[in-house]
Amino acid sequence: MSGKGKQTQRLDKILSHMGIGTRSELKKMVKQGRIHVDGKAVKDSGMQVDPAINIIKADGERIVYREMIYLMLHKPPGVVSATEDARDKTVLDLLRKEDRVFQPFPVGRLDKDTEGLLILTNDGPLAHDLLSPRKHVPKTYEARVLGKVEEEDVQRFAAGVQLDDGYETMPAELTVLGYEETDEGIVSLISLIIHEGKFHQVKRMFQAVDKRVIYLKRVAMGELKLASDLAIGSYRELTAEELTCLRNNNAAN
């Protein structure tokens, strides 16, 4: 066994953190000879091991220990950005059991009826920095807006819009992508980059110019973009490159 002191941990703590079982369940697994360290059956579930050095197996499957998890979710409409809710389905309900054991939480929130990019992690310091008002991490949205968005609106958004409570938003980049004729009237297809995250901000910004958002999707957070092949309601772990993008969002602000 490695004698590296601070890097060693109790085996049962490592395995319970990885969702293999509770402390009592792990004791039973040890008695049944189902847990091995470096090829030898374990006698004591509380033994000290170094997960970076020792090879740990449960039921023949190698356990690769880690503390942090970083997930990209394509949040669907109708699901709330919370860890628990008495009435509605939450984003955590979309995760597999083996990912929920890490106790991830959403970085920021998307409205219940909004879809798109949502990061879930248990990395508190990174989440705090990404959400800090001082960082102004840009967020990019695509929307369908009832009413014709014109150059005048683009200029107003660029100057900052006063919301219904008197708050003046930071300058935002509004781009008109096209228009559609519908039974309700003209619908504008737009892209919007904002640098803050007030409650219902995008919807309230368009209300301030007498228009209504009827569909909203977040497609990017700083340099990190929603994967185009990630179906609504699906999620996956961030790649190393995507995690670097996320960290760059923090470092660059």
Side-chain angles (χ1 to χ4, degrees), residues 223-235:
E223 298 177 17
L224 182 65
K225 296 180 180 179
L226 177 66
S228 58
D229 59 350
L230 196 60
I232 296 177
S234 299
Y235 74 96

Side-chain angles (χ1 to χ4, degrees), residues 31-81:
K31 285 183 179 179
Q32 295 164 350
R34 295 162 56 192
I35 297 177
H36 292 71
V37 173
D38 294 337
K40 296 181 180 179
V42 170
K43 304 292 185 185
D44 175 14
S45 62
M47 70 180 291
Q48 292 285 322
V49 297
D50 185 338
I53 295 175
N54 301 124
I55 296 174
I56 305 168
K57 290 187 176 182
D59 290 331
E61 183 177 344
R62 183 166 182 178
I63 306 303
V64 180
Y65 180 73
R66 57 177 180 168
E67 294 189 358
M68 298 300 178
I69 190 169
Y70 303 90
L71 304 174
M72 174 189 291
L73 169 69
H74 188 161
K75 178 194 167 302
V79 177
V80 297
S81 303

Side-chain angles (χ1 to χ4, degrees), residues 103-216:
Q103 298 182 306
F105 50 86
V107 179
R109 64 189 302 278
L110 290 177
D111 297 339
K112 181 180 175 182
D113 60 350
T114 299
E115 72 165 87
L117 174 64
L118 189 66
I119 301 302
L120 294 101
T121 184
N122 57 354
D123 187 338
L126 178 63
H128 174 78
D129 285 341
L130 288 170
L131 296 174
S132 170
R134 299 189 308 276
K135 298 289 184 179
H136 304 310
V137 174
K139 302 168 188 71
T140 306
Y141 293 84
E142 290 177 354
R144 292 168 55 84
V145 179
L146 187 59
K148 189 170 185 181
V149 177
E150 300 183 285
E151 182 60 27
E152 179 186 352
D153 300 310
V154 173
Q155 296 302 324
R156 287 186 65 181
F157 275 48
V161 176
Q162 188 175 69
L163 303 183
D164 48 14
D165 60 358
Y167 178 80
E168 190 87 21
T169 69
M170 294 178 64
E173 300 164 52
L174 173 60
T175 304
V176 179
L177 304 175
Y179 302 102
E180 288 180 359
E181 290 278 359
T182 72
D183 292 340
E184 288 187 89
I186 293 178
V187 170
S188 303
L189 313 179
I190 66 93
S191 172
L192 178 66
I193 302 174
I194 62 175
H195 298 267
E196 55 206 325
K198 299 297 180 183
F199 183 67
H200 291 321
Q201 180 170 334
V202 175
K203 296 173 184 175
R204 292 165 67 200
M205 289 178 77
F206 280 101
Q207 284 173 0
V209 294
D210 300 317
K211 295 173 180 66
R212 180 164 62 90
V213 174
I214 55 178
Y215 167 80
L216 185 61

